[in-house]
Amino acid sequence: MRTMDAGAAGTGHNTLVAALRAAGETTRLRILSLLSDSDLTVKDLTLILGQSQPRISRHLKLLADAGLVGRSAEGAFAFYRLAESGAGTRLAEALLAQLDPDDPIHTRDRERRASIRAAKAAAAADYFAANAEAWDRIRSLHVPEDEVEAAMLQLLGPRPIANLLDVGTGTGRILELMAPHAERTLGVDASAAMLAVARANLAKAGIANARLAQDDIYALSLGEDRFDVVIIHQVLHYLDDPGRALTEAARTLAPGGRLLVVDFAPHSLEELRTNDQHRRLGIADADMDTWLREARLELAGTLRLSGTGPADDGRTADAGASGAAPADTLTVSLWLATDPRIPSHDIRQEEGAFA
């Protein structure tokens, strides 16, 4: 007859009791509800709940210790969200499923949260306005972004995506694009200002399956073999060492995972270097081949978009040996690479994908 280890059983029992105690308080239950589909700071929660910062911090600590919420640092701020894996996540989701969505308390909380989001959206709009001239000028030099986005979806195809990482997420547009095609998405960026813009944009679009975090593109604070798709969209031309960034992104790919890179083909618009901080005037196919090889990835396909639309031969488009764009225009290149390792399991069943 099998016997259960009393210590192990007691540990599981005590953990569950501690989590139930952490959640079983009015303010903490309200916090769990607010964090179930959005990232919020201590300051956000003080404004929504009308309580002092020390009290909110204490509530969050108890919830975090019980594994019900997670915390991520972003510059001088810390953002909290419902935990994304483990027993705490399942317990929180079960408790929240019992809440009445029309309960007056939670309705008022959501209304106050919407007001805070509106204020952040206004700040994001101001940021856009301050930079709109430069961005619009660059956009006018290449094909419409909806064509680029359609090409991205074309290259990725209908294959299901469980965990997706957007490196250098910027305004969060790629997360918004990919949200309907992925179960979970994570966008990272070094700029706290850009993450604030992304957070406002995702909230406005009602995106609930996206997370944001501040991180270093050269040293991502993410484990290996975590994502089945990683996207690097219009980032490499800002970097001194794109190859190093690609190798770091490849480290996070699960076996059989895919890396999609979108950037400009080589061009001669020197003003983008002097006025817009571009470190490289486009990315050549030869350089991309070298970087992907060093990252132990295999190039699976390439699309190139000019003003007349995409050229595609299944691997590289015919635009000259270097892929250089004509003078005074920008051609957009898309490279899809794959991790040659054979998947040993379905990563959609893997918990803690963003840990």
Side-chain angles (χ1 to χ4, degrees):
M1 179 178 177
R2 294 179 61 188
T3 59
M4 179 178 293
D5 186 286
T11 299
H13 177 86
N14 293 337
T15 299
L16 178 59
V17 169
L20 287 169
R21 285 175 175 166
E25 192 275 339
T26 298
T27 297
R28 293 197 283 275
L29 194 58
R30 291 166 70 188
I31 289 174
L32 287 177
S33 179
L34 288 165
L35 296 179
S36 64
D37 60 355
S38 62
D39 295 358
L40 296 171
T41 65
V42 171
K43 181 179 179 181
D44 293 335
L45 290 167
T46 61
L47 294 173
I48 294 170
L49 301 174
Q51 298 186 21
S52 68
Q53 181 172 330
R55 290 189 65 184
I56 294 297
S57 295
R58 174 61 178 166
H59 286 310
L60 287 168
K61 185 178 187 305
L62 290 171
L63 291 171
D65 288 347
L68 296 169
V69 304
R71 177 185 183 277
S72 62
E74 191 171 297
F77 295 94
F79 282 86
Y80 292 84
R81 188 183 179 91
L82 200 68
E84 294 180 318
S85 65
T89 300
R90 295 189 291 273
L91 176 60
E93 290 173 346
L95 293 172
L96 293 175
Q98 303 304 312
L99 291 180
D100 179 0
D102 297 321
D103 181 280
I105 293 176
H106 297 290
T107 298
R108 285 195 300 272
D109 287 347
R110 291 194 300 270
E111 289 172 349
R112 294 189 184 113
R113 184 180 64 182
S115 177
I116 289 174
R117 283 178 169 176
K120 291 182 177 181
D126 290 341
Y127 182 88
F128 273 115
N131 295 275
E133 183 177 352
W135 289 340
D136 288 344
R137 176 170 51 82
I138 295 174
R139 287 193 190 100
S140 70
L141 297 173
H142 65 78
V143 296
E145 291 175 358
D146 59 349
E147 292 186 26
V148 176
E149 293 173 359
M152 293 172 65
L153 295 176
Q154 175 186 336
L155 272 178
L156 289 172
R159 179 174 160 186
I161 301 172
N163 302 310
L164 180 143
L165 173 65
D166 181 27
V167 179
T169 195
T171 65
R173 172 55 197 164
I174 299 305
L175 294 179
E176 186 176 347
L177 171 70
M178 299 305 303
H181 306 280
E183 295 177 24
R184 293 171 295 274
T185 64
L186 171 64
V188 298
D189 202 288
S191 168
M194 291 308 299
L195 288 171
V197 172
R199 189 166 279 108
N201 289 341
L202 294 172
K204 183 178 180 181
I207 304 300
N209 64 339
R211 260 194 62 204
L212 295 167
Q214 191 170 31
D215 215 335
D216 181 353
I217 194 170
Y218 293 127
L220 296 170
S221 56
L222 298 166
E224 298 182 359
D225 302 347
R226 295 296 185 181
F227 300 92
D228 47 356
V229 170
V230 175
I231 296 177
I232 306 179
H233 176 267
Q234 298 292 12
V235 173
L236 296 186
H237 60 257
Y238 288 109
L239 304 181
D240 288 320
D241 192 351
R244 180 181 168 196
L246 283 176
T247 297
E248 181 64 0
R251 181 184 62 79
T252 71
L253 275 178
R258 295 173 291 166
L259 172 69
L260 177 60
V261 180
V262 182
D263 218 298
F264 298 127
H267 60 84
S268 58
L269 299 179
E270 185 66 35
E271 63 267 26
L272 294 183
R273 194 191 328 255
T274 56
N275 298 334
D276 300 288
Q277 311 308 311
H278 288 206
R279 305 293 290 177
R280 291 171 173 266
L281 298 183
I283 305 296
D285 287 334
D287 289 332
M288 182 60 66
D289 283 338
T290 298
W291 296 331
L292 293 178
R293 189 165 53 251
E294 291 174 348
R296 298 182 179 180
L297 300 179
E298 297 178 353
L299 186 61
T302 302
L303 285 173
R304 185 161 294 117
L305 302 173
S306 63
T308 58
D312 176 26
D313 67 359
R315 168 143 165 80
T316 57
D318 183 11
S322 67
D328 300 325
T329 65
L330 292 173
T331 292
V332 177
S333 294
L334 300 90
W335 298 272
L336 181 67
T338 59
D339 186 312
R341 295 174 297 166
I342 299 175
S344 59
H345 66 291
D346 186 347
I347 65 172
R348 286 174 293 177
Q349 298 176 1
E350 180 178 322
E351 290 192 331
F354 296 160

